[in-house]
């Protein structure tokens, strides 16, 4: 799966204006870190609902940017949260790695 | 004319997700609209109530107050329910979206929102709103806000309904003679002034004007919205008409202009009400014996030399402070049974 679907990214860039995309990338990257922190905290507190919400927001934003891989991973975690199944194994580490790849590519595309 | 440029509209984007808010509001701004945002349902509802918005884009899953609750609050608000709401949701929430559209949301968009779909759905919703606003403006010249909203809500389905209501028929005495004796433009001016007084009296008492034919008008009270006191409302409207006409005539005479006299007949009972006509041209109207009788009773005001006559069932609906005189049983043309007619005093 590609890190970033350039078709989706370019459509987003065009529709919001090229000068705005950097601001939008910043909001996404900042919020993604917060969302991943929230998932970690919720996991420790065994709070499936907060976990699900954080995964849901991360999934939504990743999809907006065309981050296909990251979207799929976040969706999987959202589903687990919905089913109150927090046996996520190493998935939080995996999603962090996927995020770093997205971050690198987005920074190159600014 | 392939892509007419839409008028800039005032839009509200409600979403708890910052990236969604930024991307949506920016896309809409690029499309020429003026956009405000809110971070949760409650803030969104407050902004929606206080500002004059043309459309709202509403997320479903939100803290404090979710999209469902905001949608329901808007649909229950007479001032807000005509403003289109487009739900925005994730693909997985389609069940929830269907529920929203069934409730009365105008449309929906799945996230991430495709900018071409965004433009198309927003513009289509704004265009539908514009047409509805025009319709509403037209309705409001004939009916109260409540009745106009009810008509818009129930739609224009042709087909009748048996209702219990009151019918008021008013006619100007010898208007043909008046019209022949003066300039045509003066006659129209006189009619316009007269109708504006009559319309106020009808709508202020919750009635709706059904028909205007020449100098005559037919109004109904208690349909399409039922009022328990439809009979008293009709009589109140008639007395208000007579009062206002008295003031009007004094002014007319002071300016050496024509005074007008009217006759009013009111009957109450069951009647068939609904839209008649075709889908291209239809009017809300009432049919039945009750309506025919109102015409006859109005005619009878000339003979009875009383301006306001009512039937027995209308009289039963009046509180004791209304003074009425029993004029006895009258046999009208085309009716086999004599009808008890009452004159309402005052006015």
């Amino acid at each position: 799966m590609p890190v970033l679907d350039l078709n989706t990214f370019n459509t987003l860039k065009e529709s919001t204006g090229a000068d705005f995309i950097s601001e939008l990338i910043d909001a996404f990257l900042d919020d993604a870190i917060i969302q991943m922190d929230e998932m970690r905290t919720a996991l420790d507190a065994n709070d499936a609902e907060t976990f699900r919400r954080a995964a849901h927001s991360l999934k939504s934003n990743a999809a907006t940017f065309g981050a296909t891989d990251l979207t799929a991973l976040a969706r999987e975690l959202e589903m687990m949260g919905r089913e109150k199944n927090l046996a996520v194994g190493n998935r939080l580490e995996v999603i962090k790695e996927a995020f770093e790849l997205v971050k690198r590519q987005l920074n190159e595309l600014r | 004319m392939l892509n007419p440029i839409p008028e800039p509209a005032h839009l509200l984007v409600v979403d708890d997700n910052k990236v969604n808010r930024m991307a949506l509001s920016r896309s809409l701004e690029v499309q020429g609209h003026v956009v405000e945002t809110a971070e949760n349902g409650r803030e969104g509802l407050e902004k929606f109530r206080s500002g004059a918005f043309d459309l709202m884009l509403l997320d479903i899953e939100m803290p404090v107050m979710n999209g469902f609750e905001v949608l329901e609050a808007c649909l229950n608000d007479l001032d807000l329910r005509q403003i289109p709401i487009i739900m925005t949701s994730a693909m997985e929430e389609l069940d929830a979206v269907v529920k929203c559209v069934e409730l009365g949301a105008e449309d929906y968009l799945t996230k991430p929102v495709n900018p071409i779909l965004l433009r198309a759905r927003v513009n289509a919703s704004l265009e539908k709103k514009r047409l509805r606003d025009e319709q509403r403006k037209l309705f409001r010249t004939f009916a109260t806000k409540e009745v106009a909203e009810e008509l818009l809500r129930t739609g224009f389905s042709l087909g009748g309904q048996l209702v219990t209501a009151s019918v008021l028929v008013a006619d100007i005495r010898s208007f043909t003679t008046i019209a022949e004796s003066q300039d045509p433009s003066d006659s129209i001016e006189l009619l316009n002034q007269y109708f504006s007084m009559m319309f106020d009296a009808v709508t202020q008492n919750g009635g709706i004007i059904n028909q205007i034919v020449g100098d005559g008008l037919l109004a109904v009270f208690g349909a399409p919205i039922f009022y328990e006191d439809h009979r008293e409302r009709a009589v109140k409207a008639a007395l208000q008409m007579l009062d206002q006409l008295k003031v009007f005539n004094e002014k007319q005479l002071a300016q050496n202009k024509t005074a007008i006299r009217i006759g009013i007949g009111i009957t109450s009972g069951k009647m068939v009400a609904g839209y008649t006509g075709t889908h291209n041209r239809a009017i809300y109207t009432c049919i039945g014996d009750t309506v025919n009788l109102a015409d006859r009773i109005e005619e009878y005001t000339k003979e009875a030399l009383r301006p306001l006559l009512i039937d027995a069932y209308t009289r039963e609906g009046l509180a004791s402070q209304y003074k009425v005189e029993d004029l006895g049983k009258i046999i009208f043309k085309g009716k086999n049974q004599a009808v008890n007619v009452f004159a309402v005093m005052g006015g």
Side-chain angles (χ1 to χ4, degrees), chain B residues 126-141:
Chain B
L126 288 172
E127 177 62 14
K128 274 190 261 176
K129 175 180 185 280
R130 199 185 58 75
L131 291 174
R132 282 200 302 260
D133 284 350
E134 273 179 19
Q135 233 173 34
R136 179 171 292 108
K137 227 169 102 188
L138 195 67
F139 275 4
R140 289 217 180 141
T141 57

Side-chain angles (χ1 to χ4, degrees), chain A residues 11-12 15-17 19-20 23-24 27-28 31 35 52-53 56-57 59-61 63-65 75 78 82, chain B residues 16-20 22-24 26-28 30 59 61-63 90-93 111-115:
Chain A
T11 308
L12 178 70
S15 67
T16 55
D19 53 331
F20 186 72
E23 215 180 304
L24 202 57
F28 167 52
D31 282 0
Q35 284 145 4
R52 182 193 65 79
R53 270 182 192 252
H56 172 84
S57 299
K59 176 205 69 181
S60 178
N61 292 352
T64 297
F65 280 86
R75 176 177 292 126
E78 183 191 1
R82 178 166 297 148
Chain B
D16 63 323
N17 182 318
K18 187 180 173 191
V19 171
N20 282 337
M22 286 172 75
L24 273 175
R26 182 63 183 210
S27 294
L28 292 163
V30 168
D59 183 25
E61 196 189 310
M62 282 185 296
M91 269 301 210
E92 298 83 6
E93 297 169 333
K111 288 188 271 199
V113 174
N114 175 299

Side-chain angles (χ1 to χ4, degrees), chain B residues 236-299:
Chain B
K236 259 189 179 161
L239 290 172
Q240 195 175 325
M241 286 173 173
L242 293 170
D243 270 349
Q244 289 185 352
L245 199 63
K246 205 189 268 173
V247 178
F248 175 76
N249 280 338
E250 279 164 14
K251 276 193 211 151
Q252 287 286 103
L253 292 171
Q255 295 172 43
N256 227 1
K257 287 184 180 168
T258 323
I260 44 185
R261 284 184 304 121
I262 60 170
I264 304 172
I266 297 172
T267 55
S268 306
K270 286 198 165 39
M271 64 194 77
V272 174
Y275 292 97
T276 57
T278 71
H279 283 283
N280 292 324
R281 169 146 173 75
I283 53 164
Y284 188 79
T285 193
C286 300
I287 320 156
D289 270 353
T290 309
V291 185
N292 298 340
L293 186 61
D295 260 329
R296 299 278 149 75
I297 288 185
E298 185 277 315
E299 279 279 310

Side-chain angles (χ1 to χ4, degrees), chain B residues 99-118:
Chain B
K99 205 172 135 196
C100 290
V101 172
E102 280 171 355
L103 268 177
E106 181 83 36
D107 210 336
Y108 75 95
L109 284 161
T110 50
K111 288 188 271 199
V113 174
N114 175 299
I116 296 162
L117 272 183
L118 175 68

Side-chain angles (χ1 to χ4, degrees), chain B residues 217-231:
Chain B
L217 71 85
L218 188 151
V220 64
F221 297 78
I225 296 177
F226 179 71
Y227 294 113
E228 193 65 54
D229 58 345
H230 59 93
R231 294 173 289 190

